[in-house]
Amino acid sequence: MELREVKTKKEIRDFVNFPLRLYKGNPYFVPCFYADELALFRDDYLYRDQADYVCYSVYDGKKIVGRIVGILQKVSNEKWKQKRVRFNRFDCIDDQEVADMLLNAVEDWARSLGMDEVVGPLGFSDMEREGLLIEGFDYLSTFEEQYNYSYYQRLIENHGYAKEVDWLERRLFLKNGPSERLARFSDRIMERNHLHFATAKNTKDFLKKYGDKFFDLCEKTYEPLYMTVPFSDNIKKSLMKSFQLIIDLRFVAMILDEQENPVCFGLVFPSIGKAIQKSGGRMTPATLVRLLHAIKHPRVLDFALIGVDPAYVNRGIPAVLLSKTQEYLSRAHIEFAETNLNLETNQSVMNLWKNFDNIQHKRRRSFLRSLNEAPKEETNE
C-alpha cells in the first residue's frame, strides 16, 4: 500500500474516476458533474480564497483503492472560533488499512497546521455534498447529496470518530391534493403583511433581478446553522451559473415586501440524478438531452434551499411556503419530493413535513475526532 498526495495528471484522473469505478453498476449512486471535480485541481478553483486543501490517494500497486480531501476552511474556523480541518470526498474499498492511511494523512496534515480537530464528511461549504449516509442505502441518491456504501461508517468509527450531528431526509407525498383551507389562510397572510410573490420573464431575468438579494437573505437565515460559511463573490457567481441551468421558475417561490426585498424563499429543483447517471457526470450530448427533459418534465422534486427572514417567522409565512409546496406536488406527473438534508435539531423545518404523507428514509452524519488523541495505527493484514 502506498499513500500519495495527488499531483500528476494521472493521479488527478485516478482521483476523479475512482468513485465512478467503485460504484459502477450501483443503481443508487449519482455522480457529481465530472468537470466540477476536475476543477478542484485548477489554480482558480472557487474556494481557494477561503480554504487551503490537500488531496490524497492510496494505491495497491498501480491500482487506486482510496481517496480523501483535507480542507482547512479558514473562514469557517474564524466564524466558529475553531481549529478544525474538514475531510471530504472520502471513498475507499472495504479495507481498514486503506481507511486508516487516508484519515491519518489528513490528521497529520491538520496537526502540521496547528489544528486540534478533524470533522467530516464536510465540503468547503454547505453548498457542497456533506454528511455520511448511515441509513437509506437502498434509495436513489439525489444529485445534491453523496451516496456511500454502508461499510464507510464502520471504517470511520473504527478509526476513532464519533457523531457530532445528524441530518434527516424525508420523501414527501401529496395523496389528497393541496389544502384549500391552507391556501386561503396563505392568501390572508400575504395580504395582511403586504407581501407578494416575485415574478420574472425567465430564469436569467429572475437571477438578474433577485440573485444578490437572495444570497443576502440566504446568509441571514442560514447563519446560525451547523458549520455554514458566508458566500464569497466567486461562490455566488458559480452558484448563479449552476442555478441558470437547473432552476425552473414553476418551482421557485420568493416572497417580497413592499420595497421588493425578499422575506422568504423556497428553491426546489427538478430531480436530475437519473439524467446524469449513465454518463458518469460527463456532459455529453446525450446527457444534455436527458438533463433538459428531466428539468422540463420532472417526476421527482429535490428541495434545495428554504429560508424565512427571522422577522417574519412568527407572522405565519411558513404556512405560505407550505401551501406553495403542496401546489408543487399537485402538478401533473410529480410523484414525490425529496427534502434533502435537514438538521435533526431544526424543529421548525421538521414541523413543516407533518403536513404531508412522508417517510423518513435517510440519515446522514458528520463525525468528529480530537487530534489530542494518539494517532490511529494502520492495520497490517
Side-chain angles (χ1 to χ4, degrees):
M1 295 288 186
E2 178 190 3
L3 177 78
R4 300 182 194 172
E5 184 178 344
V6 180
K7 292 182 177 180
T8 69
K9 289 183 178 180
K10 182 184 183 304
E11 289 167 348
I12 291 172
R13 288 196 303 269
D14 288 347
F15 183 95
V16 173
N17 284 320
F18 178 62
L20 304 179
R21 296 209 307 267
L22 186 65
Y23 291 95
K24 186 176 181 180
N26 186 299
Y28 310 116
F29 171 76
V30 173
C32 298
F33 282 126
Y34 195 81
D36 289 347
E37 291 300 279
L38 283 177
L40 184 68
F41 299 94
R42 287 170 36 182
D43 292 337
D44 61 349
Y45 187 55
L46 73 160
Y47 286 104
R48 284 195 184 273
D49 60 344
Q50 287 193 342
D52 296 329
Y53 58 98
V54 63
C55 303
Y56 295 107
S57 296
V58 170
Y59 285 80
D60 185 355
K62 295 183 179 181
K63 182 180 179 181
I64 183 173
V65 291
R67 69 169 196 168
I68 198 168
V69 177
I71 302 169
L72 175 63
Q73 221 313 345
K74 294 175 283 189
V75 176
S76 174
N77 280 351
E78 182 179 350
K79 173 184 175 180
W80 297 101
K81 311 302 180 188
Q82 295 167 334
K83 298 175 70 176
R84 287 184 167 184
V85 156
R86 304 174 174 201
F87 73 86
N88 190 253
R89 292 169 174 85
F90 171 80
D91 289 293
C92 73
I93 62 173
D94 189 1
D95 187 306
Q96 190 66 53
E97 180 183 1
V98 176
D100 290 343
M101 291 176 72
L102 293 167
L103 292 166
N104 278 339
V106 170
E107 291 162 7
D108 289 343
W109 181 70
R111 289 188 184 93
S112 75
L113 299 172
M115 300 297 107
D116 54 28
E117 292 178 319
V118 174
V119 63
L122 291 174
F124 291 87
S125 77
D126 56 310
M127 294 293 113
E128 286 207 314
R129 297 179 174 191
E130 58 186 353
L132 190 82
L133 186 67
I134 62 172
E135 294 175 9
F137 300 101
D138 54 351
Y139 288 92
L140 178 71
S141 179
T142 65
F143 173 73
E144 296 80 15
E145 302 304 337
Q146 183 66 25
Y147 182 84
N148 58 261
Y149 289 123
S150 60
Y151 64 78
Y152 280 33
Q153 181 181 2
R154 168 171 43 83
L155 297 178
I156 290 172
E157 289 179 342
N158 283 350
H159 193 82
Y161 284 80
K163 170 187 173 179
E164 181 166 55
V165 299
D166 277 7
W167 294 270
L168 304 180
E169 298 180 53
R170 283 180 164 79
R171 181 169 286 186
L172 308 181
F173 306 88
L174 191 65
K175 294 181 179 178
N176 299 316
S179 166
E180 293 183 6
R181 180 181 178 185
L182 180 62
R184 290 194 298 269
F185 181 58
S186 172
D187 290 341
R188 289 199 298 271
I189 289 172
M190 294 284 284
E191 184 178 354
R192 182 188 308 153
N193 290 282
H194 308 289
L195 303 173
H196 60 280
F197 285 102
T199 58
K201 293 180 291 186
N202 50 46
T203 301
K204 184 177 181 179
D205 181 50
F206 180 87
L207 292 173
K208 182 179 179 180
K209 290 166 68 174
Y210 306 114
D212 289 338
K213 291 181 178 181
F214 162 79
F215 283 113
D216 290 343
L217 180 57
C218 193
E219 286 198 340
K220 186 177 183 180
T221 57
Y222 280 67
E223 191 275 335
L225 297 183
Y226 174 73
M227 300 298 282
T228 53
V229 295
F231 297 111
S232 68
D233 289 339
N234 284 339
I235 296 169
K236 290 178 183 179
K237 290 177 183 177
S238 177
L239 289 173
M240 293 271 270
K241 186 177 178 181
S242 299
F243 289 169
Q244 196 160 330
L245 175 65
I246 59 177
I247 278 182
D248 186 324
L249 292 184
R250 293 176 297 168
F251 305 109
V252 174
M254 182 173 287
I255 301 174
L256 309 175
D257 63 17
E258 291 180 294
Q259 287 73 45
E260 297 295 300
N261 294 313
V263 300
C264 173
F265 61 84
L267 193 59
V268 180
F269 295 150
S271 176
I272 62 172
K274 289 186 176 181
I276 65 171
Q277 269 186 320
K278 291 183 180 180
S279 69
R282 291 174 173 84
M283 190 57 75
T284 65
T287 303
L288 185 58
V289 170
R290 290 194 297 269
L291 192 62
L292 293 174
H293 185 271
I295 293 170
K296 285 189 174 184
H297 308 284
R299 303 188 70 84
V300 177
L301 300 177
D302 293 347
F303 283 38
L305 297 166
I306 297 175
V308 180
D309 189 314
Y312 283 82
V313 168
N314 296 321
R315 299 193 195 181
I317 303 302
V320 181
L321 266 186
L322 183 60
S323 178
K324 205 68 176 173
T325 303
Q326 289 189 348
E327 179 187 321
Y328 295 158
L329 285 174
S330 68
R331 301 278 174 88
H333 308 302
I334 300 297
E335 297 175 6
F336 55 84
E338 296 277 357
T339 66
N340 280 317
L341 276 65
N342 301 147
L343 282 167
E344 62 181 350
T345 55
N346 193 341
Q347 201 57 49
S348 60
V349 172
M350 298 297 181
N351 288 336
L352 286 177
W353 311 143
K354 294 178 181 179
N355 296 275
F356 299 86
D357 297 304
N358 72 86
I359 55 171
Q360 190 259 299
H361 61 317
K362 297 179 189 175
R363 179 184 293 266
R364 295 180 188 273
R365 180 163 295 171
S366 177
F367 293 86
L368 176 68
R369 187 179 189 214
S370 170
L371 295 181
N372 295 323
E373 305 170 11
K376 179 75 174 181
E377 293 186 4
E378 296 161 14
T379 59
N380 293 307
E381 297 178 358

